[in-house]
Amino acid sequence: MAWIPKHTAEHLIGRTARLLTRVGDARLKSLGLTGAQLPVFAALQDGSTLSQTALARIAGVEQPTMAATLSRMERDGLIRREPDPADGRSSLIRLTPAAIAKLPALAALRTQAAEEALAGFDDAERKLLAGMLMRIVANVEKT
């Protein structure tokens, strides 16, 4: 059988990721947000505080990348840094009231995007797909 790269799972996963990122970033722009900020919103949406190191780990990015994201968010009034009582050299990150006010619109965008991307998939198929993608992530993270 001939190898046709555009028909391989890895090509389709990458293409899907790029398409979802492009569409998502365009929608997030209407809220003044970027996709890189989503892990920060997700991690802090309950009012908790976390360190930059913890946020980088959650987002799966390097420290300098998270530092740049947080600097932009701070500039835009979306986060504030508070001294870490356990470590005077470190700060804890918290969403500002302005960021918290964006959460309902952000949730609506996420729901709309998921419904459009997964149109025609029933609940069982959605769970199966999510499970398979989690296995791929785990496999790739091992390498």
Side-chain angles (χ1 to χ4, degrees):
M1 181 164 89
W3 178 56
I4 304 172
K6 69 180 184 178
H7 294 169
T8 63
E10 58 274 16
H11 170 80
L12 292 168
I13 290 167
R15 183 172 177 208
T16 301
R18 288 187 300 278
L19 287 167
L20 289 172
T21 298
R22 188 180 74 224
V23 171
D25 282 347
R27 289 180 177 173
L28 288 169
K29 192 173 184 179
S30 70
L31 296 176
L33 302 176
T34 67
Q37 297 168 336
L38 293 180
V40 177
F41 271 88
L44 302 178
Q45 66 185 328
D46 63 358
S48 62
T49 59
L50 291 171
S51 68
Q52 177 179 307
T53 301
L55 289 168
R57 187 174 49 254
I58 289 166
V61 299
E62 298 293 325
Q63 286 279 355
T65 302
M66 182 54 67
T69 298
L70 293 174
S71 290
R72 285 189 299 276
M73 291 180 78
E74 187 171 34
R75 176 200 68 205
D76 295 343
L78 299 171
I79 61 147
R80 72 171 184 256
R81 300 172 195 265
E82 303 171 349
D84 183 345
D87 180 356
R89 301 167 296 156
S90 183
S91 295
L92 295 175
I93 313 300
R94 175 185 302 277
L95 292 179
T96 64
I100 292 168
K102 293 180 183 278
L103 288 172
L106 181 56
L109 276 179
R110 284 188 350 263
T111 299
Q112 178 187 7
E115 288 306 313
E116 290 172 3
L118 298 172
F121 287 75
D122 63 30
D123 287 343
E125 290 171 317
R126 290 174 186 216
K127 287 178 184 173
L128 180 62
L129 177 60
M132 289 188 294
L133 291 170
M134 285 189 286
R135 285 174 46 202
I136 292 169
V137 168
N139 289 342
V140 174
E141 285 180 339
K142 287 180 193 174
T143 60

